[in-house]
Amino acid sequence: MTSRGAERQTECVINRPARERTTAAELADAVATAEDPWRVVHRYGAYVLLAIATVLIAATGDVVGMNRLDWTVDLFLIPAALLLQLWWTWKEPNTPRPSGVSAAVYWVRWAITLVVAMTNPFFAFFAAVGYYDADRLLPRRQQKPGILASVLIVAGAQSGGLWPDSMLGWTVFGALVVANMAFVVVTGHLQEKEAERARVQIRTIQELAETNAALQQAMDENAALHAQLLVQAREAGVADERRRLAAEIHDTIAQGLTGIIAQLQVVKNAPTLEKAREHLDRADTLARHSLGEARRSVHNLSPAALADATLPEALKKTVAEWGVRTGVRADFTLTGTAQPLHDEIEATLLRITEEALSNAARHAHASRLGVTLSFMAGEVTLDVRDDGRGFDPLALPARTDTGGFGLDGMRARAERLAGDVTVESEPGGGTAISARVPLVPHDQ
C-alpha cells in the first residue's frame, strides 16, 4: 500500500460522522498502516520472491549446469528458507523492532540464499529481500553490512555467478556491487523521506482526531447549554407574562374598582336621588370600562382608548374623564408635531398617564392638574404635574424588582422601552412626573 493510500484510509476513518466515529482500535490500525506503507511488501514480498527464485531454478537448472549435489542442497535449503520465513511471519510482532532473534533470522536466511545462489545464480532474486528487511531485522550497526551482504549475492548473480573466476569478472563484480549499493542508498534515502512525511501526516491526523473529539464535546456541551437556555427563556417568558398581567390588572381593574368605590361613597351621602343616580351611572361606566380593559389585557390587546383614537386624542379624553370624576381641573396640552407611534409606545404612555392620574386622585388632593405630551427629535416626553400636597421622594421605600406597581410600575414600563421616569416633589409643593421614551414610528 502506498503512503497516499494509507493517508486516504486514515482520513476516511477520522472524517466519519460522529455517530459512526471509529473505535480506538480502528484508529490505531489506520495509524499503523500509514506509519508503515510497505506493510504488505514486508509481510508477503519474501514469499513472492522465493517462489520466483524457485521457479527459475527449476527452469534453468540444466542450463547453468547444476549437478546432483546442487539439486540435493537446493531441495533441502529452499524448504528450509520457506519454513524459516513462515516461522518469522508467525513470530513477528505487529510493531517489530530489531532484536537478537530478528538478526539471527536475517543472517540465517542470507546464508541459505548465498549457498543456493552459488548453485544457481537465479536464486539471487530471493536475496533482494534483504534490501527492505535490513532496517526492520538488524540493529543499526549491522544494517549497512547486512545490505552489503545481500548486494554481494545480487551482484554476483548479475556478473555471471559466484564467485568470479577472472580479473575481468572481479572487475565487473565490483562495479555491480557499487552500482547496486548506490541504488540501495538512493532508494533508502527516498524511502526515509517518504517515511518522515508519513510520520508528519500521522501526527497531523492524530491532532485532527483530538480536535474532532474536542469539537464534538463542545457541541454536546453547547447542545446542553442551548436546552438549558430554552428552559430559562420559557421560565422568563412565563414570569414576564405574569408581571404584565399583574400590571394590567393594577392599571385597569384595580383603578376601576377604586373609582367605583369613590362613586359609591358619594352616593351614600348624595343630597338628592338625581345626584345619586348620576354617580351610580359613573360607577356603572367605570365597571364596564374596567371589564373591557381586563379582557383586552388577557388577550394582550392595545387599551380600548387607543382602539379608535390617536394617542393625543386618547390622553385628552382620559384626562377630561378623570377631571369629571374627581372634580379637579385637568388640562391636556400637546407640543410638537404629533405622529403615530409604535403600539407598545402608545400603550405604555397611556398606562403611565392612567397610573399617574390614579395616584393623584388618591394622594395629591390637588386643585389643578396638567398633562403635557411633547414630540421632540428622537423622543417623546409625557409630563404630569399637579399642585397637590406633594411628598418626599427620599422617604419612599427603596425600589425593588419584585414587580411592584405605582412609581416602580411606571419606571418598569418605561425601561422596557429603553426610556425612564423621573419624579420631582416636595411636601406642600406639588408633584411632577416625567416619562421619556424613544420616538419609534408606527411602521417600525
Side-chain angles (χ1 to χ4, degrees), residues 181-195:
M181 281 300 296
F183 170 76
V184 171
V185 169
V186 172
T187 303
H189 177 73
L190 295 177
Q191 184 176 353
E192 179 60 29
K193 289 291 186 181
E194 182 69 15

Side-chain angles (χ1 to χ4, degrees), residues 268-335:
K268 292 181 180 179
N269 302 318
T272 63
L273 182 59
E274 182 179 353
K275 195 68 174 178
R277 286 179 176 174
E278 178 183 348
H279 288 284
L280 284 175
D281 289 340
R282 290 180 181 176
D284 179 72
T285 302
L286 283 172
R288 295 179 183 279
H289 175 77
S290 298
L291 179 60
E293 287 293 328
R295 289 172 175 168
R296 300 180 70 84
S297 298
V298 169
H299 295 288
N300 197 18
L301 301 176
S302 299
L306 295 172
D308 300 312
T310 63
L311 177 62
E313 294 171 347
L315 290 178
K316 183 176 182 180
K317 181 179 179 181
T318 299
V319 171
E321 291 177 348
W322 180 86
V324 172
R325 289 198 308 270
T326 60
V328 177
R329 178 182 173 182
D331 300 313
F332 172 77
T333 303
L334 173 66
T335 63

Side-chain angles (χ1 to χ4, degrees), residues 36 40 49 82 89 127 130 157 191 242 393 398 400 418:
D36 186 8
V40 175
L49 292 176
L82 177 60
T89 302
Q191 184 176 353
R242 288 175 178 172
T400 64

Side-chain angles (χ1 to χ4, degrees), residues 84-96:
L84 177 65
Q85 194 64 39
L86 288 171
W87 177 83
W88 178 243
T89 302
W90 170 74
K91 184 72 175 179
E92 183 181 21
N94 292 330
T95 55

Side-chain angles (χ1 to χ4, degrees), residues 113-134:
T113 306
L114 174 64
V115 173
V116 177
M118 291 177 67
T119 66
N120 189 320
F122 284 100
F123 199 72
F125 276 94
F126 187 57
V129 175
Y131 288 3
Y132 59 81
D133 260 2

